[in-house]
Amino acid sequence: MFDTIDFQALRRIGLSQALVAQMFNLQTEPADRLMRVTEVQRDRLRLHDGEAEHVAQVWPTLRIALQMQGESLVVGDWVAARRDDSLGDVCWAAARVPPVNHLVRRDSSGLRQVLVSNVDTALLVMGCGQDFNLRRLDRYLALVRLAGVAPVVVLSKADLLMDGGASRAEAVRRHLSGQVDVVALNGQEAASAQALSPWLAEGQTLVLLGSSGAGKSTLTNTLTGLAAQATGGVRGGDEHGRHTTTTRSMHRCASGACIIDTPGLRGLQVDADEAQLDAVFDDISSLAPMCRFRDCHHEDEPGCAVRSRVPAGRLLSYHKLQREAQRHEMTVLDRQRQAAEWKARGRFAKAVSRAKRG
């Protein structure tokens, strides 16, 4: 185990009791130090020990072990860091503390990708202008709830609307039946820190999630009080910000919380099966037992208790994510059979159409 650990300094960058319990599973050397991953580059890491940042490389044994599990170190992880005089100021990340939670999505090829680890709150950032999309918000909510992370919807660029974003906030509350906290703000104003203060206590870790140009980096700079992240101006004509963030990185807020800025996610696919989606769409699953039919799919069946109480857009998100989960669980042979079936249906429809035209 570690010779000495400055718990007070490490708690300021997110060390929790649950993580301390996980540390006892590590095989470490006495001189190793506990540090947190704040940025991952191609062949280097940035680590923080509660006082300062350090550059590091991943110990080959750890890299191989993680690769065998289909994983890698991500921002938010905790590691045992080891000095190596031959590397100068660079140290080794020799072992990873098992994460308390991590946000996972599926990439375009269907493989699981861990985004960040050990997060307390996810700020789901969505612009009040043309970026406003409730169906996309449902995907982000599913992503964070599957990880057991508390979501907060942040409506950025509220200054673009005459009512300061109040109408957008009300639309989100109706869509989610008031289940999630919603905050409308202008990310460029210092008042944003006050609006988000309930989630910015010292030692808390937050992650910003949202589409490119939603204002995540602008909000990061406001909360940290530094121009730590590059930002772009709003494009003329469509109110979209310009994509600037390309890597995930963790920063210290003026309040003492840690905030992880992330690039916009393209084609967000949720890593969940049908039962897990039922659990995160609890506004739907809680009403399902009241439907007339036990196997109601909440589509066009009579006596459906869900359709009458859940907004149509929310129900569409649920159905689409359920279909995606079914496809993920299919074998290659199942997919081939489904493709052949759809092709046959297409040929039949074309034949019928030709026959009607004579």
Side-chain angles (χ1 to χ4, degrees), residues 42-61:
R42 181 170 298 177
D43 59 347
R44 295 289 174 98
L45 307 171
R46 286 194 176 274
L47 307 178
H48 206 294
D49 63 5
E51 300 293 342
E53 278 198 326
H54 306 267
V55 177
Q57 295 182 8
V58 182
W59 190 262
T61 304

Side-chain angles (χ1 to χ4, degrees), residues 103 121-127 136-145 149-156 176 180-183 207-211 214 216 219:
L103 300 184
T121 304
L123 302 182
L124 308 182
V125 184
M126 185 168 64
R136 185 174 64 237
L137 175 62
D138 285 329
R139 285 183 175 270
Y140 281 105
L141 277 170
L143 173 74
V144 301
R145 281 177 164 169
V149 174
V152 177
V153 178
V154 176
L155 299 176
S156 62
L176 301 176
V180 179
D181 290 307
V182 184
V183 179
V207 61
L208 292 168
L209 297 171
S211 59
K216 301 185 297 296
L219 184 57

